[in-house]
Amino acid sequence: MAALTLAVLTSSQTKIFPDTSSVPAAEKGYAFADEPHHFQLALRSDTVQFFPVSVQVAADLPVEVYKTGFVPVVHPMAQAGPEGYARTEAGLYPDPLYVRPPCPVVEKAGQIWREADTKQTINLASCHTVPLWITLNPEGEALADGEYPVTVRIVSLTDGTELQTLTYTVRVLPHRLAENRVYYTNWFHCDCLADIYGIEVWSSRFWEILPYWLKNAAKHGMTTLLVPAFTPPLDTPVGHERMNVQLADITADGDGGYSFDLTRLERFLRLAMDCGIRYFEHAHFFSQWGAAHAPNIYARTPEGYRRIFGWETDASGEEYRVFLEAYLTALNALSDRLGIRDRWVFHISDEPSPEHLDNYLKAKALVQPFVGDCPLADAVYFAEYAENGSVHTPVAEIGHADAFAKSCGSDRMDPAGTNAVPLWLYYTGGPSKVTNRMLPHTHARTRVLGAILYRYGASGFLHWGYNFYYDRMSVGLFHPLSDPCAYKDMPGSTYLAYPAPDGKPIPSVREMLMGEAMCDLRALWKAEEILGSDRVLARMEEVFGAPVTCRTIPEGELLLQLRKRLAEELSD
């Protein structure tokens, strides 16, 4: 009879590969009252043939269970060295999460035993390990404090007998996480969603599947959504266009006047709010890398429906100024009616360089009178944009956070470094030695983002790809389940969710880790409220062995140790 050679509960910080033969055991975790909590199960058998089993997860709190799938990474992109990498070789890497019932119905059907209510079967063998991802309290409901045991039963589907029972306990604290006031966005690309499914953007089918994607993003911590009122002028070769995904229906009368039907934009905003999104990022008002031109904008004109602004448009020209004033006035009226006037984030131009400063300031001057106190936030590498106040809310590349912290954010490591200018952080891809979320990275390298945001007093985090399935400059199209390295050989850099055949997103391990990072940030905020920032920073330094910086990449389960230390102090 086949036997289990590996049946171990382990933390969410363990990366489990097909050839993993052992994992560190985990028996207990800690969570705030309204915080999801994650752990894993690693399974392996001694048989060379398949050994079907059922996994039953039971607890007195909500539970979700996923079977972890693998994707082929042909280029781990470890040129900067092995630090922060789980592995540096090509191979199968864990990421997509396929949902299973927590307690599948086990029945005998003819001569076989089977799980009757799931298609995500579990077949064990000696040649590979099967990981399962288990999430407790996935919706972040407010639970009573106390200890909650979780029972994990493994049942043979060769004869229906129980093989092993494991127990995990989560200690729920008598505190809720701090209010979720972070701006957390991964840019959502509507053209990619339409292209990957071969449907028309804003068609009935598009509106049918869109809520699944927005709910999934919000469920895993995303608070802020890119809104394509105009087609976002991002990753587009000069003189070319991406798919027109413009929500605003514009009429140009030919004499310099404009009218706006924002019905479709309103539908999009209401849907996003219904799905759990709180903040809205308006697509950039000016071209990327310089703010020299207008985005591609279409309108109904006496000559028909056509592009009225684009690469040929002088960004500071009178015609575009008149249009922006008319549009922003209409947008503000809609925002007032929806009660979201103060929930916008506006962008001028993405990643301007120092030589673009004059263009940027001219462009900013056109928009600023209409946005009130809402953030005018742009991704920048160069601290000059923060030092001279050119960017209202700098979104600093995370490796340059120290340079920006001198003039913006609230640097908790430097009491003199508290400034009125807010700070966001961002990263892209590439082999730099900072936190990131690529497939070969350790789970701790991804999750440490929350601690870094806390250290720098950052109020937001931006990434440019939630579902970007194009190659560089928006050419080609790839399916991340089969070709996860297609974008510039950066495995997993451009997406967090995978497209399932039915139009729904498949969440990922990395998406869960990003959610954990945002919970860590809120947990640190709450600990600061109760214990004070000095004590929180001291615990962070004690656990990590050094002060947290923008280049901190912790080893092993240090983040879990930090959360345990804080949980113990908060429970005293």
Side-chain angles (χ1 to χ4, degrees), residues 309-364:
F309 298 111
W311 290 107
E312 72 286 353
T313 304
D314 179 358
S316 59
E318 179 68 9
E319 186 178 6
Y320 191 50
R321 182 193 67 79
V322 170
F323 168 81
L324 278 181
E325 289 185 0
Y327 168 72
L328 286 167
T329 300
L331 178 67
N332 284 341
L334 171 64
S335 300
D336 287 338
R337 184 159 55 82
L338 295 179
I340 59 169
R341 183 75 173 269
D342 61 347
R343 288 160 60 181
W344 282 98
V345 176
F346 294 99
H347 296 301
I348 302 301
S349 174
D350 188 47
E351 295 185 327
S353 297
E355 63 268 26
H356 304 138
L357 182 58
D358 287 345
N359 281 352
Y360 186 88
L361 291 175
K362 290 177 184 177
K364 177 185 171 185

Side-chain angles (χ1 to χ4, degrees), residues 369-423:
F370 297 91
V371 302
D373 294 328
C374 291
L376 263 174
D378 281 306
V380 284
Y381 275 85
F382 304 95
E384 301 96 295
Y385 274 85
E387 292 165 357
N388 60 24
S390 299
V391 177
H392 174 275
T393 301
V395 185
E397 196 280 326
I398 204 163
H400 296 84
D402 287 324
F404 282 84
K406 297 174 182 177
S407 52
C408 52
S410 300
D411 189 344
R412 286 178 169 83
M413 299 298 291
D414 179 8
T418 298
N419 304 277
V421 178
L423 174 67

Side-chain angles (χ1 to χ4, degrees), residues 176-195:
R176 296 191 183 190
L177 293 166
E179 178 187 357
N180 192 1
R181 59 185 185 269
V182 66
Y183 294 90
Y184 167 40
T185 180
N186 300 281
W187 284 345
F188 192 88
H189 298 272
C190 292
D191 52 353
C192 288
L193 190 63
D195 263 347

Side-chain angles (χ1 to χ4, degrees), residues 515-566:
E516 285 188 316
M518 296 303 136
C519 285
D520 286 344
L521 174 60
R522 295 172 63 195
L524 291 166
W525 284 341
K526 174 59 74 170
E528 180 181 286
E529 291 175 17
I530 299 171
L531 305 174
S533 62
D534 288 346
R535 193 163 162 186
V536 173
L537 289 168
R539 296 299 171 268
M540 293 171 71
E541 184 169 348
E542 288 170 9
V543 171
F544 293 148
V548 171
T549 74
C550 60
R551 299 189 180 276
T552 295
I553 300 176
E555 296 182 359
E557 299 189 345
L558 291 182
L559 285 163
L560 296 181
Q561 293 179 29
L562 173 63
R563 291 296 303 270
K564 180 182 178 182
R565 287 284 300 276
L566 293 175

Side-chain angles (χ1 to χ4, degrees), residues 79-398:
Q79 298 96 311
E83 183 183 10
Y85 277 79
R87 289 187 178 176
T88 57
E89 303 85 20
L92 294 175
Y93 282 68
D95 201 41
L97 295 173
Y98 301 96
V99 67
R100 285 172 43 87
C103 289
V105 175
V106 175
E107 65 179 15
K108 192 169 186 180
Q111 71 273 29
I112 68 166
W113 290 84
R114 69 175 185 180
E115 293 177 328
D117 51 350
T118 179
K119 295 179 181 177
Q120 292 300 326
T121 59
I122 303 173
N123 291 315
L124 307 182
S126 60
C127 59
H128 69 92
T129 295
V130 175
L132 273 71
W133 185 278
I134 301 168
T135 299
L136 308 177
N137 196 19
E139 301 293 341
E141 302 174 21
L143 302 176
D145 64 293
E147 293 198 343
Y148 291 79
V150 183
T151 301
V152 180
R153 296 173 54 245
I154 305 160
V155 177
S156 169
L157 292 182
T158 59
D159 57 12
T161 60
E162 184 173 308
L163 297 169
Q164 194 165 339
T165 298
L166 305 168
T167 302
Y168 183 89
T169 301
V170 59
R171 173 72 173 93
V172 174
L173 305 181
H175 304 284
R176 296 191 183 190
L177 293 166
E179 178 187 357
N180 192 1
R181 59 185 185 269
V182 66
Y183 294 90
Y184 167 40
T185 180
N186 300 281
W187 284 345
F188 192 88
H189 298 272
C190 292
D191 52 353
C192 288
L193 190 63
D195 263 347
I196 203 71
Y197 285 113
I199 59 178
E200 292 292 324
V201 71
W202 314 129
S203 64
S204 60
R205 177 58 177 158
F206 187 93
W207 285 109
E208 181 183 343
I209 67 176
L210 181 60
Y212 295 113
W213 287 77
L214 299 187
K215 288 177 181 177
N216 185 70
K219 179 178 180 178
H220 299 111
M222 208 168 97
T223 61
T224 310
L225 178 66
L226 182 65
V227 178
F230 312 143
T231 299
L234 300 167
D235 295 282
T236 309
V238 174
H240 293 262
E241 297 186 47
R242 285 175 63 166
M243 180 192 299
N244 179 8
V245 296
Q246 178 179 312
L247 284 165
D249 190 350
I250 304 166
T251 299
D253 64 14
D255 294 320
Y258 303 94
S259 60
F260 302 91
D261 180 351
L262 301 184
T263 303
R264 190 163 62 187
L265 174 58
E266 179 177 348
R267 180 180 180 182
F268 184 89
L269 295 171
R270 288 186 181 276
L271 172 64
M273 287 188 280
D274 289 344
C275 292
I277 296 297
R278 177 167 180 77
Y279 303 113
F280 305 100
E281 286 180 275
H282 196 286
H284 299 69
F285 289 112
F286 301 89
S287 58
Q288 194 173 24
W289 304 313
H293 306 283
N296 292 310
I297 298 175
Y298 280 76
R300 305 177 193 278
T301 74
E303 295 79 30
Y305 189 72
R306 64 178 183 85
R307 183 164 54 81
I308 58 170
F309 298 111
W311 290 107
E312 72 286 353
T313 304
D314 179 358
S316 59
E318 179 68 9
E319 186 178 6
Y320 191 50
R321 182 193 67 79
V322 170
F323 168 81
L324 278 181
E325 289 185 0
Y327 168 72
L328 286 167
T329 300
L331 178 67
N332 284 341
L334 171 64
S335 300
D336 287 338
R337 184 159 55 82
L338 295 179
I340 59 169
R341 183 75 173 269
D342 61 347
R343 288 160 60 181
W344 282 98
V345 176
F346 294 99
H347 296 301
I348 302 301
S349 174
D350 188 47
E351 295 185 327
S353 297
E355 63 268 26
H356 304 138
L357 182 58
D358 287 345
N359 281 352
Y360 186 88
L361 291 175
K362 290 177 184 177
K364 177 185 171 185
L366 296 180
V367 174
Q368 192 158 22
F370 297 91
V371 302
D373 294 328
C374 291
L376 263 174
D378 281 306
V380 284
Y381 275 85
F382 304 95
E384 301 96 295
Y385 274 85
E387 292 165 357
N388 60 24
S390 299
V391 177
H392 174 275
T393 301
V395 185
E397 196 280 326
I398 204 163

